[in-house]
Amino acid sequence: MHRSHLEGGRHAMIMDWENDGRTHPNIDPPGLFDASREALMFLDRHRLARTTNSYALALQAVLHPYGPLGTAVADRTDGGIRLTEDDVAELMPLVRQHEAIDLPPDRAQLDRDLSDHAEALDSLTSEARQITSDFSNDVSALSHAHGRDNDLGPNSSAIALLLEQLIARISKTERHLEELSGSISSLRVRIESVPQNEDVDPLTGVMSRTGARSLIEGLASDSHGYVVVACSLDDLEGINERYGRSVADNVLRAFVATLRQSAEGAEIIRWQGNLFVVVQRGRPLSTVAGMMEDARTAMQARTLRLRGSGEPIGVVTMSAGIAVGIGVPMEETFDRAEALRVIAGDGVGNRVMSRA
């Protein structure tokens, strides 16, 4: 299958060649309006016609970069290759898998409205650029034409007619923008009114600190004991400064995917910011320490690239502290694990430290 090389600048998203193979039907993907715009940019970068199928593929690939579809797209575009219409057709079964996830009726309608608004905004932006380009070309053509005939410059009546047409086009575009602005404001109110699930972290899909409350409360009475891991990425702040918030957020998602793959059966909690807690019950400290070493190695080996340019963002590492708790509150065990994480993260980081 022939594919041409993809050209494009840096975009504030990343492509990851690995995935955790899971979906989260009750999670509201962050930034749906941004995702709709990114989907349109995706189609433009790959020079795909804006059909129903191609847009559905682009949107689901943007919303689920670490799922089966995101991985398939990454494989087919490795090395800066564009997708083709044949690729779109072949990938549609994976697109339908994502679309089969039941969304609340209000959320499904919001998603469709966001898509429509993003397309309208994209169209108006193109129209504004075209107006400016056409006016510049027309004025230039008039100047050259009249300049050849005489020294008096462009005919004033021709310029007046050109300005009249320009004003009419600008006025029409302004009206459309005003209507769209009102619709977007109304849509924002609707989005804000949709109830959020406070038990789940909306960025990564793992438990929030609130959602883990019952788990935390029950650990002290677990007669078999439990293991707590405090872990974080070593230079997320630097990634944020170099590439922006959206890239840093996607790196966090890749981190969570790595934890899921390496710590099978564990409970993962986003404690705060870049700090995650992994709780494992019924397994010895040595086993959990081995899991976290696997996660550290896997994270270091991941190839994370900027979507669009394919530029690698560099090696991303993690550090972790591990502690065991038997018959004590989880907070006490967490404090010991967190102290070890801080020590492990000193300097270059990329270490796992444990203590019974």
Side-chain angles (χ1 to χ4, degrees):
M1 184 182 298
H2 172 71
R3 303 189 189 99
S4 57
H5 287 284
L6 173 63
E7 301 171 353
R10 176 180 298 175
H11 295 277
M13 299 286 286
I14 64 170
M15 296 289 287
D16 180 21
W17 295 172
E18 299 184 42
N19 71 89
D20 65 345
R22 302 186 187 189
T23 55
H24 305 284
N26 297 321
I27 307 307
D28 176 29
L32 277 175
F33 185 79
D34 290 338
S36 297
R37 291 299 310 277
E38 179 70 18
L40 295 174
M41 292 168 61
F42 178 100
L43 296 179
D44 290 342
R45 289 197 300 274
H46 291 274
R47 299 182 185 176
L48 291 170
R50 294 184 181 183
T51 65
T52 301
N53 282 352
S54 66
Y55 179 79
L57 181 145
L59 182 62
Q60 294 301 331
V62 168
L63 289 174
H64 305 284
Y66 310 114
L69 176 63
T71 300
V73 169
D75 288 342
R76 290 171 184 244
T77 57
D78 192 7
I81 297 173
R82 292 193 193 98
L83 292 178
T84 67
E85 298 294 346
D86 288 340
D87 290 322
V88 172
E90 292 172 9
L91 291 172
M92 285 313 294
L94 293 178
V95 176
R96 299 309 178 207
Q97 286 179 19
H98 284 295
E99 292 180 337
I101 298 173
D102 291 331
L103 290 173
D106 290 345
R107 173 53 66 191
Q109 184 60 49
L110 281 175
D111 196 4
R112 289 190 292 271
D113 290 346
L114 283 165
S115 171
D116 292 343
H117 284 35
E119 245 186 294
L121 186 58
D122 185 71
S123 176
L124 287 172
T125 301
S126 298
E127 172 66 13
R129 291 197 190 101
Q130 192 62 46
I131 288 174
T132 302
S133 175
D134 289 349
F135 180 68
S136 298
N137 291 338
D138 289 344
V139 169
S140 177
L142 282 172
S143 297
H144 286 302
H146 288 279
R148 287 194 301 268
D149 296 336
N150 54 65
D151 297 329
L152 299 179
N155 183 278
S156 59
S157 60
I159 289 291
L161 178 61
L162 191 60
L163 287 172
E164 183 179 345
Q165 293 173 345
L166 174 67
I167 291 171
R169 289 183 68 184
I170 290 176
S171 297
K172 180 180 178 181
T173 302
E174 284 180 341
R175 287 196 303 272
H176 289 165
L177 281 171
E178 186 175 353
E179 293 171 1
L180 182 60
S181 177
S183 297
I184 290 175
S185 296
S186 174
L187 191 59
R188 183 175 291 110
V189 172
R190 287 171 57 197
I191 291 172
E192 291 173 351
S193 67
V194 174
Q196 302 296 315
N197 184 356
E198 295 182 355
D199 291 344
V200 177
D201 174 49
L203 177 65
T204 62
V206 299
M207 279 190 293
S208 67
R209 199 163 169 176
T210 300
R213 186 181 296 117
S214 60
L215 167 67
I216 292 170
E217 291 173 350
L219 288 176
S221 59
D222 192 326
S223 59
H224 298 289
Y226 57 93
V227 181
V228 169
V229 181
C231 55
S232 63
L233 295 173
D234 290 318
D235 190 31
L236 187 66
E237 184 177 345
I239 293 171
N240 189 31
E241 291 176 355
R242 291 191 297 273
Y243 301 106
R245 176 68 178 274
S246 59
V247 170
D249 285 349
N250 280 311
V251 172
L252 275 179
R253 294 190 186 101
F255 179 35
V256 168
T258 300
L259 292 176
R260 283 197 176 113
Q261 291 167 349
S262 301
E264 185 178 357
E267 303 284 0
I268 303 174
I269 309 163
R270 189 178 185 188
W271 203 253
Q272 62 180 30
N274 180 29
L275 178 59
F276 290 80
V277 170
V278 179
V279 179
Q280 184 70 272
R281 291 173 286 189
R283 297 198 179 185
L285 173 63
S286 59
T287 299
V288 178
M291 288 179 170
M292 297 314 297
E293 279 292 348
D294 289 344
R296 184 192 64 78
T297 302
M299 194 67 213
Q300 186 177 10
R302 290 195 98 129
T303 303
L304 302 176
R305 303 175 185 271
L306 294 173
R307 188 188 298 275
S309 69
E311 175 190 346
I313 69 171
V315 175
V316 180
T317 61
M318 59 160 279
S319 291
I322 311 173
V324 175
I326 301 177
V328 296
M330 183 269 196
E331 289 82 355
E332 179 181 322
T333 311
F334 165 76
D335 288 342
R336 287 188 280 118
E338 171 62 359
L340 290 172
R341 183 197 67 85
V342 172
I343 296 172
D346 280 347
V348 296
N350 196 24
R351 291 187 294 173
V352 174
M353 299 185 68
S354 62
R355 182 180 303 160

